[in-house]
Amino acid sequence: MSRRERTRRRNRSKGGPGRILFLGLLVIAATAVIGALSAVGYVVSIANSAPSLDTLKAKDQGQNSLIYAADGSRLGVIQSPILRRPISSTSIPQNLKDATVAIEDKRFYKHTGVDFEGVIRAAIKNARSGKTVQGGSTLTMQLIKNIYSQDATRDYKRKIREAKLAEELENKHPGPVGKQWILVKYLNNVPYGTVGGQQAVGVWAAARVFFNKRPADLTLAESALLAGLPQAPSSYNPRLNPNGALRRRNEVLSQMTQAGYISAADEAEAASSPLGLERTKYYTQRRESYFFDYVRQQLIKTYGSARVKEGGLKVHTTIDLHLQKLARAAIRSRLAAPGSPSSALVSITPNSGYIKAMASSSNYGDSKFNLATQGRRQPGSTFKVIVLMAAIRRGVDINRTSYVSHHLKFTDPLYGPIDVDNSDGASSGKPKSLFQAIVTSDNTVMQQLDLDVGPPNVTKTAYDMGITTQLQSYPAEGIGGLRTGVNPLQMARAYATVNNGGSRVKPIAVTSVVFPDGKVDKTMGTVRKFPVFTDGETYEAIQAMKGNISSGTGTAAQLSGCTAAG
């Protein structure tokens, strides 16, 4: 072997380990690249498995249904498991927006849906602690989870899919305007905790439940407390864990200072304030509770119980709050003495059927039974008008047709014993026209008329006029002796049929319902008329009824400056 060849071999053996190490590093690097590419491919495949945002329908978060009086004032809220009312950006204080960003997503205004720095920071912190102490979800990803995601699993695959959808959402709502849209959407849909078995979703419900305020009226400290709840609503619930809520609130304030949203002085002042919790009656307080319950039942009858429970309805009604006060005053003026019978009053607009007043002498706190719509009482002489209309529609002339007013005591071959007298026991023993019989509310004359017209025909007339109680077609029904009884709403409807020229109207409590998507349904407020009599026929009855008020048994019901009939 030559000297040159030996030198070459010696140099080659010296460089051998370096080359091996170099080659090893190359292999490791190549493997890492291949592994990284494989990991990227795996992540991409998971992301691609997520549906397109455009194909997803936002989940219905639920919200409360509100019922309004005719003047637009609020009567109350229909109870549901979810307390929620979406509000606009201008109704949310800037402090609450800033506090939410400071504690939940510091880089919210810099990322495009996914905060990669935040993910890495959270991963390192979690690795150091050996447990999950920080999440990498942005506000946009949380919004996706709250209103779009149908995936109930809690693993990295879901996070990847949410990240992909979050970027789509940010692309769909770009720039500062888009960021505000996302933030407000988040604040209206994030859960803030459960109180009394009802979950407060969105800032409106949270502000009401914990502070009995509108969001716009929240202080800095109150905004900070609410901003700290979504991460762990149960753990930080100030009603269940006030100390934990206080620490969390002050942590939010500290983060706001670090982010430059507030000064150190502002932080110190807010951190020294108490929690300031206040219970609210906003969701339970109602006005006109009997009418409120009647409206709710009408909604269930129209849309079904499940739809009403979903909430989100804005229900506009016919009730006139001024007339409600007058109705209650009218009841008190006649039945104010101790031991007076319970009573109710219903007033409807004859041409439309709109219920303008529905008052009761009962206290809703003592009894939920609505005498106006659920009560069944004897109508007494008010049923005589129905007998009169049964006769008129058969061509009877009420001015020329008369019966002798006298005590009736005989056995009818079809209906059995008849024993009827006038309330005061006085009968003239002389003929009395049907017109005069209504003016004087003569039982004996109207009973004779009922038998001649035929109780089944009186029953049919009652149904045609709007009576819904089942009648048995007994002669006693003609003078108000019903087995089951009727309620004021039925009688108001029957008399409206006479008042409006002969058309039966459907009682209407709801004029329109606005659904969460803005659709307005006026079906419940549609006026429906069913012709029963001619206007000439009702005119005859009204003249007799006017006489009853002006000079007969109904003079106590006269109205100053207004013609009355009854």
Side-chain angles (χ1 to χ4, degrees):
M1 182 183 295
S2 67
R3 184 177 179 181
R4 181 180 295 177
E5 191 175 347
R6 284 197 302 270
T7 302
R8 194 182 314 133
R9 283 188 177 184
R10 190 164 50 246
N11 291 339
R12 193 162 34 207
S13 64
K14 285 182 180 178
R19 280 190 54 151
I20 292 171
L21 179 60
F22 179 69
L23 289 173
L25 290 173
L26 283 177
V27 170
I28 291 171
T31 303
V33 170
I34 293 170
L37 290 174
S38 299
V40 170
Y42 181 61
V43 170
V44 170
S45 68
I46 294 174
N48 287 337
S49 69
S52 170
L53 187 65
D54 293 333
T55 65
L56 294 178
K57 182 180 179 181
K59 290 184 292 187
D60 185 2
Q61 293 288 83
Q63 55 183 293
N64 299 105
S65 292
L66 298 173
I67 297 181
Y68 300 94
D71 63 0
S73 60
R74 189 173 71 98
L75 290 180
V77 178
I78 296 179
Q79 291 292 293
S80 66
I82 300 295
L83 304 178
R84 179 173 176 267
R85 177 182 170 184
I87 56 177
S88 66
S89 177
T90 56
S91 299
I92 303 173
Q94 190 62 42
N95 274 336
L96 182 52
K97 295 177 183 178
D98 294 341
T100 300
V101 171
I103 194 66
E104 290 286 344
D105 188 359
K106 296 179 181 63
R107 289 172 44 77
F108 174 69
Y109 295 107
K110 297 179 181 179
H111 63 67
T112 57
V114 181
D115 183 8
F116 294 103
E117 288 185 27
V119 172
I120 294 171
R121 184 173 59 250
I124 293 172
K125 194 166 184 178
N126 294 338
R128 285 176 177 172
S129 66
K131 59 181 181 180
T132 302
V133 295
Q134 193 175 95
S137 293
T138 63
L139 286 175
T140 315
M141 290 172 65
Q142 292 180 52
L143 177 60
I144 290 292
K145 181 181 69 174
N146 286 335
I147 68 173
Y148 289 109
S149 178
Q150 306 293 329
D151 192 346
T153 60
R154 301 185 65 181
D155 58 15
Y156 66 92
K157 292 182 181 179
R158 191 197 74 184
K159 290 279 189 182
I160 292 171
R161 296 188 186 100
E162 288 174 358
K164 181 250 189 184
L165 292 172
E167 286 200 328
E168 280 192 42
L169 188 64
E170 294 254 359
N171 290 334
K172 190 173 182 179
H173 299 278
V177 174
K179 285 291 185 181
Q180 282 300 307
W181 184 93
I182 291 168
L183 180 56
V184 171
K185 196 78 171 174
Y186 170 86
L187 290 170
N188 275 318
N189 288 279
V190 66
Y192 284 89
T194 300
V195 176
Q198 294 176 299
Q199 186 180 40
V201 176
V203 293
W204 173 273
R208 280 292 180 186
V209 164
F210 294 112
F211 301 110
N212 193 27
K213 290 182 175 182
R214 298 175 303 169
D217 298 328
L218 293 171
T219 65
L220 170 59
E222 291 164 349
S223 293
L225 186 143
L226 294 187
L229 294 179
Q231 189 179 93
S234 298
S235 299
Y236 297 133
N237 189 319
R239 298 201 187 280
L240 304 177
N241 182 13
N243 292 331
L246 195 64
R247 287 192 297 271
R248 177 64 171 172
R249 181 200 69 180
N250 292 344
E251 179 188 355
V252 174
L253 290 169
S254 174
Q255 292 295 325
M256 292 182 74
T257 303
Q258 291 180 36
Y261 290 125
I262 59 174
S263 67
D266 292 333
E267 177 192 345
E269 181 181 353
S272 65
S273 64
L275 290 177
L277 303 179
E278 184 178 335
R279 297 193 180 277
T280 182
K281 293 183 179 179
Y282 177 82
Y283 293 102
T284 57
Q285 193 170 41
R286 302 172 182 171
R287 290 190 293 173
E288 311 303 342
S289 295
Y290 289 116
F291 179 75
F292 184 98
D293 284 352
Y294 177 76
V295 168
R296 182 173 56 186
Q297 288 303 316
Q298 294 300 305
L299 292 169
I300 291 173
K301 185 177 179 181
T302 303
Y303 301 114
S305 178
R307 179 63 196 87
V308 174
K309 283 182 180 178
E310 284 179 20
L313 308 177
K314 293 181 180 177
V315 184
H316 299 277
T317 72
T318 58
I319 204 72
D320 186 316
L321 297 178
H322 175 64
L323 293 182
Q324 281 288 91
K325 291 180 181 179
L326 294 179
R328 278 192 288 272
I331 291 173
R332 286 194 300 270
S333 68
R334 298 293 177 183
L335 298 167
S340 295
S342 297
S343 57
L345 185 155
V346 172
S347 176
I348 68 175
T349 304
N351 287 323
S352 65
Y354 280 13
I355 300 172
K356 307 304 289 184
M358 182 182 286
S360 174
S361 63
S362 299
N363 186 324
Y364 188 81
D366 297 332
S367 173
K368 306 299 185 289
F369 187 81
N370 187 354
L371 288 169
T373 61
Q374 297 174 298
R376 291 289 185 270
R377 300 292 184 269
Q378 297 302 322
S381 294
T382 56
F383 235 64
K384 291 174 183 174
V385 170
I386 294 176
V387 180
L388 187 71
M389 294 310 304
I392 291 175
R393 76 190 313 187
R394 281 162 180 76
V396 175
D397 188 331
I398 65 173
N399 292 291
R400 295 183 179 182
T401 302
S402 62
Y403 290 88
V404 175
S405 174
H406 67 103
H407 181 200
L408 304 176
K409 190 174 179 64
F410 63 93
T411 298
D412 186 270
L414 183 59
Y415 298 106
I418 302 291
D419 189 348
V420 176
D421 204 352
N422 288 319
S423 58
D424 57 3
S427 300
S428 66
K430 297 179 181 179
K432 185 181 289 187
S433 71
L434 298 181
F435 184 101
Q436 282 301 315
I438 288 294
V439 171
T440 60
S441 190
D442 194 300
N443 293 339
T444 65
V445 170
M446 298 309 295
Q447 182 65 93
Q448 292 175 77
L449 177 63
D450 180 279
L451 288 167
D452 284 350
V453 170
N457 290 323
V458 173
T459 294
K460 183 180 185 308
T461 300
Y463 290 158
D464 288 344
M465 292 173 67
I467 300 300
T468 56
T469 292
Q470 184 177 358
L471 304 176
Q472 281 73 38
S473 297
Y474 297 148
E477 291 175 346
I479 52 175
L482 277 61
R483 171 176 287 181
T484 304
V486 291
N487 60 51
L489 180 59
Q490 291 182 50
M491 293 307 297
R493 185 185 187 191
Y495 270 69
T497 303
V498 179
N499 180 281
N500 66 27
S503 292
R504 182 179 73 247
V505 292
K506 178 191 74 170
I508 294 174
V510 176
T511 55
S512 65
V513 177
V514 183
F515 286 85
D517 61 0
K519 176 187 174 184
V520 180
D521 183 8
K522 296 184 178 181
T523 304
M524 294 182 69
T526 301
V527 176
R528 293 186 175 90
K529 291 186 175 182
F530 306 90
V532 176
F533 311 112
T534 67
D535 56 357
E537 291 169 342
T538 57
Y539 175 82
E540 293 297 322
I542 289 172
Q543 297 310 304
M545 292 162 67
K546 284 181 179 179
N548 179 277
I549 299 295
S550 63
S551 60
T553 57
T555 53
Q558 291 186 65
L559 302 174
S560 60
C562 176
T563 301

